[in-house]
Amino acid sequence: MLHLRLITPAGRTDDVVRLIEKTVGTTHLVVLPGAARNPAGDVVMCDVAREAGDELIGALRTLGLDRTGSIAVENIDLSLSRRADKAEEEAPGEGADAVLWEGLADATHEESTLSVTYVAFITLATMIAACGVVLDNAILIVGAMAVGPEFGPLAGICTSVVQRRPRLALRSLTALLVGFAGAMLVTVGFALFMDAVGLFHESDLEGKRPNTAFVYAPDAFSFIVAVLAGIAGTLSLTSAKSGALVGVAISVTTVPAAANAAVALAYGDTSQTIGSTNQLLLNLLGIVLAGIATLAAQKILWKRQRQHR
């Protein structure tokens, strides 16, 4: 269930209430006349089944409530109510299959913005991965994968393509490219510093690395895993199962490949630099293609469910 808290201009409250009442899957309607101060107006609250949420939010935006008032949406973790159970039963489809497109766009907007925090995380992840590839330490590689925030911009690109939002696409692409470029540049300097103090050695990079050699040797499985991870990551976002994103993060070779490319570049190893870059690009491409396909399929399937309800 979702909880909606709306601020409506007094003259539009009746329209909003009628809209909520005729939407299948809504319950617990509360109207507080004159309760809002900034902006001034009435406060309307209701609960709605997740599978009916996107339709209701879209209709509220059609009324202009996002411009003249406010639309706030929260997930309800626990609702002990027969009316809520009945509303979920009456709503078409399954809540787990429903996609809140407005919520997805808002989430990916935040996660795909080029910020100091985003750059810090991707840089730290790349530096951790650099230690992992030099030491041939799989644990550090997995840790770096978990820290990397790159799935946010990737999800933003996928969402922007399906929803046709060029600004979101530009923002996401900028965060992805600038983030990786900056992280790799810093990691080159980090590798040179570690070499100067005797902690990194070129022989470690060039020697046998059974645990981490995969980061600069892309193959068919690299693309297949990236596609599967892209599907899983997209489903975790649209179904609000954010915990699955950790599994997605540690299944694709993006940050480790960028780290290996940076360290190899610091030592002038062109072969590993190219191989790692190819691995990085192959994984990014697989995730984006899979994410776009998954969102498009969800959009089509959900539209058909609503048409046949």
Side-chain angles (χ1 to χ4, degrees):
M1 294 289 289
L2 301 172
H3 177 68
L4 270 63
R5 185 184 73 252
L6 314 172
I7 297 178
T8 70
R12 303 307 302 270
T13 300
D14 289 342
D15 295 333
V16 170
V17 170
R18 280 193 294 268
L19 174 63
I20 294 173
E21 289 177 334
K22 74 176 185 180
T23 300
V24 177
T26 59
T27 187
H28 303 154
L29 177 61
V30 177
V31 180
L32 303 175
R37 294 292 180 267
N38 184 21
D42 303 330
V43 174
V44 179
M45 295 181 287
C46 71
D47 295 342
V48 58
R50 182 180 175 85
E51 49 269 45
D54 192 61
E55 180 181 1
L56 178 57
I57 294 170
L60 291 170
R61 294 197 66 183
T62 300
L63 290 176
L65 203 60
D66 55 325
R67 299 186 300 274
T68 59
S70 169
I71 304 173
V73 184
E74 299 174 335
N75 281 301
I76 300 177
D77 295 326
L78 177 64
S79 180
L80 302 177
S81 167
R82 290 185 178 181
R83 289 182 177 274
D85 295 339
K86 184 180 179 181
E88 288 187 314
E89 291 173 0
E90 293 175 346
E94 295 293 332
D97 297 331
V99 180
L100 295 176
W101 292 102
E102 292 300 329
L104 179 62
D106 184 69
T108 51
H109 176 278
E110 181 179 349
E111 295 295 328
S112 62
T113 300
L114 185 64
S115 63
V116 174
T117 301
Y118 170 81
V119 173
F121 268 116
I122 197 169
T123 301
L124 290 170
T126 306
M127 293 167 69
I128 293 171
C131 295
V133 297
V134 172
L135 298 175
D136 194 35
N137 189 315
I139 295 177
L140 291 177
I141 293 295
V142 171
M145 289 176 170
V147 172
E150 72 278 7
F151 191 80
L154 291 171
I157 292 173
C158 299
T159 302
S160 67
V161 171
V162 175
Q163 292 195 278
R164 299 178 182 179
R165 298 193 176 194
R167 289 185 179 180
L168 178 59
L170 180 60
R171 182 184 299 109
S172 301
L173 189 61
T174 300
L176 192 68
L177 296 179
V178 174
F180 268 116
M184 292 172 70
L185 182 62
V186 173
T187 304
V188 169
F190 174 70
L192 293 174
F193 170 78
M194 294 292 280
D195 180 78
V197 297
L199 295 176
F200 277 10
H201 303 283
E202 185 175 2
S203 58
D204 294 329
L205 182 73
E206 302 298 340
K208 292 184 178 180
R209 291 189 284 146
N211 294 320
T212 59
F214 67 93
V215 300
Y216 61 87
D219 55 19
F221 281 104
S222 300
F223 185 75
I224 292 172
V225 171
V227 168
L228 296 176
I231 295 173
T234 303
L235 289 175
S236 73
L237 285 177
T238 58
S239 63
K241 296 185 180 296
S242 57
L245 281 178
V246 176
V248 172
I250 63 176
S251 63
V252 289
T253 315
T254 49
V255 166
N260 198 86
V263 176
L265 183 62
Y267 284 120
D269 187 333
T270 305
S271 177
Q272 283 201 40
T273 300
I274 294 175
S276 301
T277 302
N278 289 338
Q279 177 77 276
L280 172 62
L281 296 176
L282 190 64
N283 276 268
L284 295 178
L285 177 63
I287 293 173
V288 169
L289 292 179
I292 292 172
T294 302
L295 287 177
Q298 287 181 292
K299 194 171 187 177
I300 294 171
L301 291 174
W302 186 249
K303 184 177 181 180
R304 289 181 178 178
Q305 285 188 31
R306 289 175 57 183
Q307 289 175 344
H308 292 86
R309 68 183 179 183

